[in-house]
Amino acid sequence: MHHSQAITGIVLAGGAGRRMGGEDKGLLQLKQKPLIEWVLARIAPQVDEIIISANRNLERYQSFGYAVVQDKTQGYAGPLAGIARGLLDAKHELILSVPCDTPFLPDDLVSRLYSSLEADDYDVAVPVVAGKSQHAIALMQRRVGANLAAFLAQGGHAVHEWQAGLKRVDVDFSDAAPFFVNLNQPEQLAMLEGRLNRA
């Protein structure tokens, strides 16, 4: 931990999993381990508290040993609903959000986002990989909660649209591109299994 401030990590497992045929994505298996377990293992050493945002299979998620919270918003507001809820429950002033389908996040994710966030008291720091912002992976100040609540109340739901209205810093992680692979399609999961088994 190279940062002085304590951080709460929110793992976003509340999605509808539409591209995975309605499967609960965090519980899909990669090498006999649910995806969320990979994510938890990557971020647990980098944060001081973990909250899992989930809307179904709650007991299964609770079995990982962390607090599980459900969205307060009605209907499907995507990852932002999970972030909004996590901001209310977090013990700490800094919050890291990560999706449940990025099993290989880098070990220095938090320290790099933190040093950029702190450089000029930004609201949020977002990794950029090969020119593409990874919006759901973000380190933010708890104070953005009020802004997010207002955005959701106006019917907003896209993470990037919300972040565009904040004081945001992009952090280049192009050197770590493979760590940001996210598993949206069943084929990707199968391909990765094959690669890991050969490794």
Side-chain angles (χ1 to χ4, degrees):
M1 300 250 182
H2 315 297
H3 43 82
S4 51
Q5 264 183 288
I7 293 173
T8 295
I10 307 171
V11 182
L12 304 168
R18 281 172 298 209
R19 280 179 287 191
M20 282 290 197
E23 291 275 350
D24 193 335
K25 221 163 22 174
L27 300 176
L28 289 172
Q29 302 270 318
L30 175 63
K31 288 199 86 170
Q32 283 82 59
K33 251 181 14 186
L35 276 184
I36 190 163
E37 210 172 297
W38 292 79
V39 176
L40 290 166
R42 302 305 292 174
I43 69 154
Q46 303 187 54
V47 299
D48 305 275
E49 176 193 32
I50 288 179
I51 294 173
I52 296 172
S53 158
N55 291 311
R56 48 188 175 152
N57 299 317
L58 301 181
E59 284 181 14
R60 183 84 179 81
Y61 280 117
Q62 279 158 347
S63 74
F64 298 107
Y66 298 104
V68 176
V69 300
Q70 282 178 278
D71 302 344
K72 283 197 164 45
T73 43
Q74 290 307 304
Y76 177 60
L80 278 183
I83 292 172
R85 175 64 209 267
L87 286 166
L88 295 175
D89 286 81
K91 284 196 187 81
H92 304 302
E93 288 304 312
L94 287 180
I95 287 93
L96 173 77
S97 65
V98 294
C100 63
D101 62 354
T102 45
F104 309 118
L105 293 167
D107 293 332
D108 60 356
L109 175 68
V110 170
S111 56
R112 285 168 71 173
L113 290 175
Y114 179 76
S115 50
S116 294
L117 187 77
E118 243 210 339
D120 195 14
D121 196 32
Y122 286 99
D123 291 326
V124 61
V126 178
V128 176
V129 179
K132 206 172 166 304
S133 295
Q134 308 287 315
H135 297 284
I137 302 172
L139 182 64
M140 65 202 89
Q141 311 261 11
R142 194 218 293 263
R143 62 175 187 238
V144 300
N147 177 298
L148 176 52
F151 180 81
L152 288 170
Q154 287 152 13
H157 61 265
V159 183
H160 66 96
E161 281 174 23
W162 171 57
Q163 288 173 351
L166 299 173
K167 189 179 174 191
R168 171 182 145 197
V169 59
D170 291 332
V171 185
D172 187 25
F173 274 88
S174 296
D175 57 307
F179 294 103
F180 288 89
V181 61
N182 75 326
L183 303 172
N184 274 323
Q185 268 84 24
E187 308 79 82
Q188 285 175 299
L189 204 55
M191 205 174 70
L192 203 58
E193 286 265 56
R195 259 206 327 242
L196 285 172
N197 289 335
R198 284 195 303 274

